[in-house]
Amino acid sequence: MRSKDRIAYFYDGDVGSVYFGAKHPMKPHRLCMTHHLVLSYDLHKKMEIYRPHKAYPVELAQFHSADYVEFLHRITPDTQHLFLNELTKYNLGEDCPVFDNLFEFCQIYAGGTIDAARRLNNQLCDIAINWAGGLHHAKKCEASGFCYINDLVLGILELLKYHARVLYIDIDVHHGDGVEEAFYFTDRVMTVSFHKYGDLFFPGTGDAKEIGEREGKFYAINVPLKDGIDDLSFTRLFKTIISKVVETYQPGAIVLQCGADSLAGDRLGCFNLSIDGHSECVSFVKRFNLPLLVTGGGGYTKENVARCWTVETGVLLDTELPNEIPENDYIKYFAPEFSLKIPNGQIENLNSKSYLSTIKMQVLENLRCIQHAPSVQMQEVPPDFYIPDFDEDEQNPDERIDQHTQDKHIQRDDEYYEADNDNDQMDVS
Amino acid sequence: MSMAGRLQLYDGVREEDSGEIFGGSNDDSLCRFERLFAEFFSEICAFNCVLHYPPMLSDGQDVDLYRLFLVVRGKGGYDAVCKGKLWDSVGEESGMGVSVGSSVELVYSRYLSALDSWMKKVAESKVSPEFGVVDDRDKFGRRLMELQAEVEGLLSGCADERVVLVGEDVEGGLDEDDHNLDGRELSGANGVKSNGDEGGEHRQCDDSEMPDNDMDEAVLGNSDKGNDLMGGEEGFDGGKMPEEQAVDISDGANKSGTGVVSGGKQCDDSDDKGLVLDASGGNSDDDSSGHKRKREGSVWDSSSDDCDSPSRKRMRESAMDMLSWITGVAKDPGDPEVGSIPEKSKWKSYSSQEVWKQVLLFREATFYRRGSEASNEQRNWQNQKMHPCLYEEQVGTNYNLRDRLKCDKKLLFGKSASLRSSSDSSLATENRTPGSHTEGQSELRDSPDANSGLDKCATVRIPLGTNHQAEIPEWTGVTSESDSKWLGTRIWPQETVNTRLIERDPIGKGRQGSCGCPEEGSVECVRFHISEKRAKVKLELGNAFYDWDFDRVGEEVRLMWTKEEEKKFEDVVRSNPPSLEKYYWDYIFRAFPDKSRAELVSYYFNVFMLQRRGYQNRHTPDDIDSDDNDDEAGPLRNVFGPQIQNSGHEMQSSRGSILLTPKKTRKKGK
């Protein structure tokens, strides 16, 4: 069966040979492995694959400061000792080393996300995938947490040219601080991040109390979690919050950062998600039938990253993948089982039921504050899924979830969780 | 700021102070005094007492703490004044009128003597005897108790004794008419309804812990025209230092005024300030932290107030301004004269001369304390029409009042433990033991986040400013041009597809269970199937195969290498184990000057690592090091290019590293 969605997938083989340095956990080679796995499952036959253009410095400067972009452009491993002050200023060094072809690498992954956004804007596709993107820590004037250029912000800025409101969802184990920070003052972008918080876990931001400021107040949502969260609690929380967010915020497009370091067994992560749990979130977001930009992100156990993003590519293509990994050049990396399953997590789940319901309540409480405060633009611009001629082409109207059904669905979910939550409160008080 | 830092600050000021005593005061030193005072209370004895600002006598007169402090010091200190029964004259000299001695004494002991004795201690520890003006305040605590007993005595005795009374109940007793009048005027509803329920509810809470609890009883007492006063008072002594209030500015107005404002604001913030409200009455941690914040808020209030208007009269006036402003809002929320409140983020930058800011500060100051009374206010708010500016100034935000109130209600009545813990400043560090006062104290002491009452911050704040936020154009409703030029280059499907070659297998097929090779799973078998697949993919992809560098993927890469080179690569790696300070990449680059780094990396991942992994798969399946030898613990080094020694570590400390993630605890060892 051919997917009803048109999927654009961005890949440039050049990222595979980028090397952050020995001992550096970020290995762009994982992108190469992912692409191979995707192809070995023949998923390319259901989508269009593009080589992204290399984003120009001026495009990167849409968000980043020109001097920072210029410096990234200029710096090389051989000249960096001449620029110690600048390295410090731009936070380059340990986490974010200067390596060969650094700028080209940035241009490729940022170009991918920007192209993806543009394709969505021009309605050339319904879903765009750029696994090389999703570097959510990068700041306007500095690098951070393996991220140099914040392709997500650039992509969202691009989407904002066509959409009044864009929703950003982040399921990386780390807080999506760069994106949140960039859009902290605006209500045109709502950022929702699910992440580990506490114990000085990087980057340290992402408390539930960070809700945005000025016009952006209540338009930043943080779901701080503790070690070892499992599939069931994560997906439940995710679905409850995201469905409420979409219902309330009515975004015109969604950007989903699928950092794979929230998987069990990640080198830097501390969650217990299986690939099924992780991809269930992707599947859930897909079901809103909104223009969707999917990016990668963290992920430091590279075979698992490749597995996860391959499965999620399949999810976006409505294709369930058999567990046995087909032969491919990298099959040895998937030993000993050569399967898509990853070992179960070994980290104790420190998220008590009551803790999770507390978080949920707080988030929903904050959401309620905008729910009944529709700003002018919300009324003026109907969201895309209300527009009747959306997807006028090949979409079968019967297959589309209309708002009414969706509401009913959401309602049901809510009731279920609400009741559940009541019990929690009983237990606690 | 750390204690050490604070001490330094104090050192600096001590000198100034001693100068001032002789040189007289000026505005600058007054400001300094107030600031220090505020900080002192917010950090040093945060947990100890809950004071109200601005300090006032029972008749509503403001107290100029700085002046009072100087006068007492001039008279030889607290003890000397007590001994000489000089409080009346102190009162006079401080400009508070005659025969207010006991009030003044109480104010002094509450507000200043702790500071006094603390400064003394500092002085002692620093061996600086010239600062002997501060007299010995060892007996401060005991003295306080005495005073309290005294006050209690006075309480039961006569209501209009000019004392600073403990607890607002007494205040209510004194000014009851005003109180109720104000209450009605402002909130349009009776301020004291169903206190009985409330008290009952709150009595369930741990008695030793918090003033709020006592406050409740006090409120009860209040509604009962003071019958319960003594009981309430005794409650105070049970736990720690009693909640006390120097006279509040028009209590009722204050109460409902703050209620009104918080009604609006709470929702529009929904930040923890709002949430803490409902925490009252339960868990002592929350309460004490609530109090801490409140006290901070009030402290700041007073300090800034005093800085701006040192004269007591002025302060009183501003309080009246505030009151009438609130009244105005209550009467006609739409009145343009009421003005508007800027966004919260800018609050800090406004001086407390602004009426609305004072209201906010008052609300801040009374917010937590009155948590227990909140349901009163709650009822009051429900019939209120609020001026939109109390919610937010944003143009076009027509917030729905009803729902906001509903939200408030939830906050107020939903006394779930979960909400409470979530409202706490450190959401992630829940599971604190409730009811233990000492723990609350240490908690507070340990978290000296120097927040003003208006602004609470997380451990790491999102930096704000033009250097951090993206510039977002206003949404005009018209889609602006998105560059359609750069959409990527289509690689697949290709323009000219050779359909004859398209794979007929179902898409997304997995690996076949059995292959029919003579030795399934052997090296040869695996190699055969990989190359079989490869050939198929190559055929299918056509040009895309090269576009994606598939010709340089997997062990194919070794075809571009000679046997000698491969041997050399392995030798270099082997002779430079990663545990050594020198890492083998440096040598590899040197050993292969004619190969690009990209080629070397490609070889590393596609051949070297893959081969090693293959070897591990076969020979040490239990010990598969999937992530090459980078897993070795140790500092991350910049491998390419010359080393940079000094920049890295500074950054580490200032910005944190994603790598410095604390080791996670695993149920089972690996």
Side-chain angles (χ1 to χ4, degrees):
Chain A
M1 183 199 102
R2 191 166 174 91
S3 163
K4 61 185 192 244
D5 291 313
R6 289 164 304 165
I7 317 281
Y9 176 103
F10 290 83
Y11 179 74
D12 186 328
D14 288 351
V15 291
S17 55
V18 169
Y19 197 49
F20 275 58
K23 291 189 182 177
H24 199 293
M26 176 59 105
K27 292 179 170 48
H29 187 249
R30 66 203 177 124
L31 301 167
C32 217
M33 289 169 62
T34 304
H35 188 61
H36 260 259
L37 203 51
V38 165
L39 258 67
S40 73
Y41 272 107
D42 283 334
L43 292 177
H44 58 288
K45 291 173 186 166
K46 297 180 86 177
M47 58 190 182
E48 297 169 347
I49 302 180
Y50 294 86
R51 179 195 281 271
H53 85 287
K54 291 188 171 74
Y56 293 98
V58 67
E59 292 179 281
L60 305 180
Q62 292 297 306
F63 168 56
H64 294 281
S65 65
D67 59 318
Y68 173 54
V69 173
E70 213 275 316
F71 185 76
L72 281 181
H73 199 171
R74 188 166 38 128
I75 193 77
T76 69
D78 299 321
T79 59
Q80 57 176 326
H81 62 283
L82 302 171
F83 300 100
L84 292 182
N85 286 340
E86 283 88 348
L87 288 174
T88 312
K89 177 180 172 194
Y90 299 122
N91 197 21
L92 297 168
E94 300 245 333
D95 273 10
C96 306
V98 178
F99 50 82
D100 274 318
N101 304 321
L102 163 63
F103 193 68
E104 194 193 3
F105 173 66
C106 294
Q107 286 180 299
I108 291 172
Y109 76 71
T113 306
I114 293 171
D115 285 352
R118 286 177 184 159
R119 290 202 83 82
L120 288 168
N121 277 347
N122 290 294
Q123 294 177 19
L124 296 169
C125 62
D126 304 310
I127 298 173
I129 304 170
N130 179 29
W131 294 126
L135 282 78
H136 58 167
H137 294 306
K139 306 288 166 53
K140 193 171 185 174
C141 303
E142 68 181 52
S144 172
F146 314 159
C147 307
Y148 302 84
I149 292 293
N150 199 319
D151 60 299
L152 292 159
V153 172
L154 295 169
I156 292 170
L157 286 174
E158 199 64 37
L159 288 171
L160 286 174
K161 293 178 180 171
Y162 274 67
H163 299 281
R165 292 173 304 282
V166 173
L167 171 63
Y168 169 74
I169 304 170
D170 188 322
I171 54 172
D172 196 283
V173 76
H174 299 100
H175 177 224
D177 57 339
V179 183
E180 178 182 294
E181 185 177 315
F183 300 114
Y184 210 57
F185 287 160
T186 182
D187 55 3
R188 292 195 59 199
V189 179
M190 177 177 275
T191 59
V192 187
S193 178
F194 297 76
H195 51 264
K196 151 83 180 171
Y197 177 76
D199 311 330
L200 300 175
F201 196 79
F202 187 86
T205 48
D207 193 347
K209 288 188 304 179
E210 287 171 32
I211 53 168
E213 285 187 25
R214 301 191 196 171
E215 290 90 342
K217 186 168 198 169
F218 300 121
Y219 294 91
I221 292 176
N222 284 299
V223 185
L225 301 167
K226 301 176 183 207
D227 285 4
I229 193 161
D230 54 29
D231 283 354
L232 188 66
S233 11
F234 189 88
T235 53
R236 235 165 71 164
L237 193 63
F238 183 87
K239 289 178 181 179
T240 314
I241 288 174
I242 293 303
S243 56
K244 198 73 191 167
V245 162
V246 172
E247 181 198 327
T248 305
Y249 188 59
Q250 301 179 355
I254 301 180
V255 176
L256 177 61
Q257 199 265 19
C258 298
D261 45 6
S262 41
L263 290 176
D266 188 82
R267 242 180 108 183
L268 297 184
C270 55
F271 284 175
N272 273 342
L273 296 187
S274 73
I275 288 176
D276 285 343
H278 200 270
S279 57
E280 201 176 326
C281 298
V282 177
S283 154
F284 186 77
V285 172
K286 178 185 186 292
R287 286 204 291 266
F288 289 109
N289 269 340
L290 289 166
L292 177 60
L293 201 171
V294 181
T295 72
Y300 307 100
T301 303
K302 55 186 170 151
E303 309 90 285
N304 290 354
V305 176
R307 286 180 171 110
C308 178
W309 290 346
T310 301
V311 169
E312 286 168 4
T313 307
V315 162
L316 293 168
L317 292 165
D318 293 321
T319 306
E320 203 168 315
L321 301 181
N323 193 32
E324 295 76 31
I325 293 176
E327 279 86 9
N328 68 79
D329 287 301
Y330 292 124
I331 188 134
K332 287 176 186 170
Y333 277 124
F334 302 100
E337 301 288 328
F338 304 104
S339 71
L340 288 177
K341 288 266 172 298
I342 59 170
N344 289 330
Q346 315 241 304
I347 296 169
E348 193 183 349
N349 188 353
L350 299 178
N351 298 275
S352 65
K353 243 185 150 188
S354 64
Y355 174 75
L356 292 173
S357 83
T358 299
I359 299 274
K360 188 186 74 191
M361 294 294 288
Q362 195 173 359
V363 168
L364 297 182
E365 204 65 64
N366 285 344
L367 265 175
R368 226 158 281 162
C369 292
I370 51 167
Q371 186 164 28
H372 302 288
S375 66
V376 176
Q377 39 179 279
M378 288 228 194
Q379 288 158 345
E380 275 178 0
V381 184
D384 283 358
F385 52 60
Y386 285 150
I387 299 175
D389 58 351
F390 173 68
D391 272 4
E392 68 246 294
D393 39 14
E394 55 199 40
Q395 186 162 351
N396 178 357
D398 294 335
E399 280 182 54
R400 208 188 312 153
I401 310 173
D402 61 281
Q403 184 61 27
H404 182 63
T405 323
Q406 212 175 19
D407 280 347
K408 263 169 41 187
H409 175 74
I410 289 163
Q411 195 55 43
R412 229 183 10 249
D413 264 9
D414 266 355
E415 275 165 18
Y416 173 61
Y417 296 128
E418 217 66 70
D420 191 61
N421 179 61
D422 288 343
N423 293 339
D424 288 350
Q425 290 183 350
M426 292 282 281
D427 293 343
V428 176
S429 50
Chain B
M1 199 191 290
S2 69
M3 256 320 256
R6 191 56 46 83
L7 277 170
Q8 277 180 347
L9 189 63
Y10 266 90
D11 274 353
V13 175
R14 250 179 35 219
E15 255 142 51
E16 285 228 4
D17 269 1
S18 24
E20 280 158 23
I21 291 167
F22 308 105
S25 61
N26 53 42
D27 277 359
D28 183 49
S29 59
L30 175 69
C31 275
R32 198 185 293 267
F33 173 81
E34 294 293 352
R35 203 179 61 238
L36 280 175
F37 185 66
E39 283 172 9
F40 173 77
F41 270 95
S42 66
E43 277 200 46
I44 309 305
C45 49
F47 48 89
N48 220 358
C49 43
V50 180
L51 296 176
H52 289 274
Y53 283 86
M56 283 186 200
L57 300 185
S58 58
D59 57 358
Q61 216 186 123
D62 305 24
V63 176
D64 184 344
L65 286 178
Y66 183 56
R67 193 163 163 189
L68 178 62
F69 192 62
L70 291 184
V71 169
V72 173
R73 286 214 296 196
K75 290 192 181 297
Y78 183 79
D79 276 2
V81 174
C82 285
K83 207 177 272 172
K85 297 196 164 55
L86 299 170
W87 284 111
D88 274 355
S89 64
V90 166
E92 277 180 54
E93 280 182 54
S94 317
M96 279 171 279
V98 289
S99 52
V100 288
S102 47
S103 301
V104 171
E105 183 178 3
L106 188 64
V107 167
Y108 187 88
S109 67
R110 296 283 197 242
Y111 286 82
L112 294 169
S113 56
L115 175 67
D116 206 351
S117 63
W118 188 81
M119 286 174 90
K120 175 89 187 313
K121 262 181 230 156
V122 173
E124 276 166 6
S125 67
K126 292 274 175 177
V127 203
S128 44
E130 95 257 320
F131 192 62
V133 229
V134 181
D135 82 352
D136 182 10
R137 297 299 326 115
D138 281 347
K139 291 170 283 180
F140 167 54
R142 210 180 59 215
R143 177 66 194 151
L144 211 62
M145 300 296 278
E146 286 167 16
L147 269 170
Q148 206 171 322
E150 195 180 318
V151 168
E152 279 169 28
L154 285 166
L155 261 175
S156 54
C158 50
D160 54 10
E161 182 78 50
R162 309 201 77 187
V163 263
V164 176
L165 293 167
V166 181
E168 66 175 344
D169 39 347
V170 186
E171 165 71 5
L174 284 174
D175 287 337
E176 197 164 349
D177 287 347
D178 278 346
H179 171 107
N180 285 336
L181 185 65
D182 286 340
R184 280 200 196 91
E185 196 177 328
L186 284 159
S187 47
N190 196 331
V192 268
K193 246 195 273 175
S194 74
N195 273 326
D197 298 353
E198 287 239 273
E201 196 177 328
H202 285 275
R203 257 186 224 116
Q204 297 165 356
C205 320
D206 190 338
D207 233 330
S208 69
E209 30 163 276
M210 17 102 219
D212 262 323
N213 198 6
D214 304 324
M215 283 308 302
D216 237 315
E217 299 191 31
V219 173
L220 248 183
N222 191 7
S223 67
D224 292 343
K225 308 269 184 216
N227 287 343
D228 269 357
L229 279 182
M230 283 311 290
E233 283 307 304
E234 270 151 24
F236 277 86
D237 287 333
K240 50 175 182 183
M241 272 226 255
E243 157 132 23
E244 60 187 307
Q245 270 171 297
V247 181
D248 250 320
I249 303 179
S250 56
D251 192 47
N254 194 354
K255 192 193 289 177
S256 37
T258 52
V260 163
V261 179
S262 50
K265 203 231 155 194
Q266 186 182 351
C267 227
D268 95 61
D269 285 356
S270 241
D271 60 9
D272 53 319
K273 269 177 288 178
L275 289 166
V276 164
L277 178 58
D278 89 298
S280 63
N283 160 328
S284 81
D285 293 332
D286 285 354
D287 271 48
S288 40
S289 63
H291 278 291
K292 181 186 160 228
R293 286 182 204 144
K294 161 184 129 195
R295 187 195 21 66
E296 275 174 17
S298 48
V299 164
W300 279 106
D301 171 27
S302 91
S303 64
S304 45
D305 245 347
D306 288 355
C307 280
D308 294 330
S309 54
S311 113
R312 298 170 288 114
K313 198 150 181 222
R314 177 91 175 273
M315 225 163 113
R316 177 67 179 164
E317 274 165 16
S318 67
M320 291 309 293
D321 286 346
M322 185 190 73
L323 195 56
S324 58
W325 185 80
I326 295 176
T327 317
V329 175
K331 279 179 181 156
D332 181 7
D335 189 350
E337 276 186 39
V338 171
S340 59
I341 299 179
E343 308 162 357
K344 188 183 170 220
S345 55
K346 292 184 187 148
W347 284 358
K348 269 168 115 173
S349 59
Y350 282 86
S351 90
S352 40
Q353 299 276 332
E354 303 285 342
V355 181
W356 56 265
K357 173 125 180 196
Q358 287 171 12
V359 175
L360 287 168
L361 288 166
F362 268 104
R363 180 192 65 126
E364 192 70 28
T366 42
F367 200 61
Y368 304 103
R369 170 170 54 92
R370 297 180 192 268
S372 51
E373 304 160 80
S375 42
N376 277 345
E377 296 160 15
Q378 166 66 21
R379 280 180 196 96
N380 297 343
W381 304 341
Q382 282 180 334
N383 303 321
Q384 287 276 301
K385 280 267 185 212
M386 285 306 305
H387 191 280
C389 73
L390 286 173
Y391 298 128
E392 209 153 356
E393 198 204 17
Q394 306 311 334
V395 187
T397 47
N398 294 317
Y399 288 149
N400 183 317
L401 176 70
R402 290 283 155 220
D403 288 287
R404 287 176 162 268
L405 287 173
K406 251 182 248 158
C407 162
D408 283 343
K409 192 170 178 181
K410 200 143 193 183
L411 289 171
L412 292 167
F413 289 116
K415 296 194 186 291
S416 73
S418 53
L419 247 185
R420 212 176 298 132
S421 64
S422 77
S423 68
D424 201 284
S425 58
S426 46
L427 198 144
T429 57
E430 49 155 22
N431 298 333
R432 294 196 228 134
T433 325
S436 138
H437 179 57
T438 44
E439 188 173 317
Q441 287 183 1
S442 60
E443 190 82 38
L444 289 173
R445 218 191 295 219
D446 288 343
S447 56
D449 37 359
N451 306 327
S452 87
L454 286 178
D455 203 2
K456 242 126 275 131
C457 59
T459 33
V460 180
R461 289 215 60 169
I462 293 282
L464 308 175
T466 46
N467 277 343
H468 299 284
Q469 273 69 45
E471 285 159 34
I472 295 127
E474 281 293 309
W475 174 248
T476 53
V478 185
T479 55
S480 42
E481 273 310 297
S482 183
D483 202 339
S484 57
K485 192 175 168 194
W486 298 106
L487 298 167
T489 315
R490 191 162 91 177
I491 306 294
W492 181 268
Q494 285 163 308
E495 303 297 339
T496 53
V497 180
N498 193 341
T499 44
R500 198 167 47 85
L501 293 171
I502 289 274
E503 179 67 39
R504 299 294 173 197
D505 284 341
I507 287 164
K509 188 177 58 132
R511 194 172 67 252
Q512 299 307 300
S514 115
C515 58
C517 286
E519 273 183 86
E520 272 186 43
S522 65
V523 179
E524 290 72 26
C525 166
V526 171
R527 190 168 291 164
F528 171 76
H529 290 295
I530 292 176
S531 50
E532 186 192 26
K533 175 82 177 186
R534 186 184 173 81
K536 215 162 76 180
V537 167
K538 188 172 179 174
L539 198 63
E540 247 179 70
L541 294 182
N543 288 336
F545 187 83
Y546 300 98
D547 255 312
W548 293 328
D549 294 336
F550 271 32
D551 52 333
R552 285 177 278 142
V553 146
E555 294 184 53
E556 291 290 300
V557 171
R558 67 190 303 182
L559 298 179
M560 289 177 276
W561 286 56
T562 64
K563 275 263 178 299
E564 291 72 38
E565 283 170 334
E566 288 192 71
K567 179 87 172 59
K568 195 166 152 194
F569 192 95
E570 197 173 340
D571 286 346
V572 173
V573 173
R574 191 160 293 166
S575 58
N576 295 284
S579 51
L580 292 182
E581 187 53 35
K582 291 280 176 190
Y583 201 67
Y584 57 77
W585 277 105
D586 296 336
Y587 293 95
I588 287 175
F589 293 140
R590 234 167 283 159
F592 297 96
D594 52 340
K595 286 204 183 287
S596 76
R597 285 173 182 176
E599 279 178 293
L600 293 166
V601 169
S602 167
Y603 179 81
Y604 177 73
F605 278 119
N606 288 307
V607 182
F608 185 78
M609 280 307 300
L610 211 52
Q611 281 180 340
R612 202 169 70 170
R613 184 64 193 271
Y615 179 86
Q616 284 176 345
N617 291 343
R618 275 168 210 289
H619 301 282
T620 55
D622 297 330
D623 181 27
I624 291 174
D625 181 7
S626 60
D627 228 343
D628 63 40
N629 33 21
D630 293 3
D631 257 340
E632 238 65 43
L636 185 69
R637 272 198 44 227
N638 190 293
V639 185
F640 291 147
Q643 281 202 269
I644 12 162
Q645 296 281 13
N646 41 358
S647 61
H649 287 285
E650 289 164 27
M651 283 183 297
Q652 210 82 327
S653 54
S654 64
R655 311 195 202 185
S657 166
I658 194 169
L659 293 167
L660 292 182
T661 298
K663 265 292 162 214
K664 44 221 171 186
T665 46
R666 288 171 190 272
K667 266 194 262 176
K668 295 174 249 170
K670 195 176 173 183

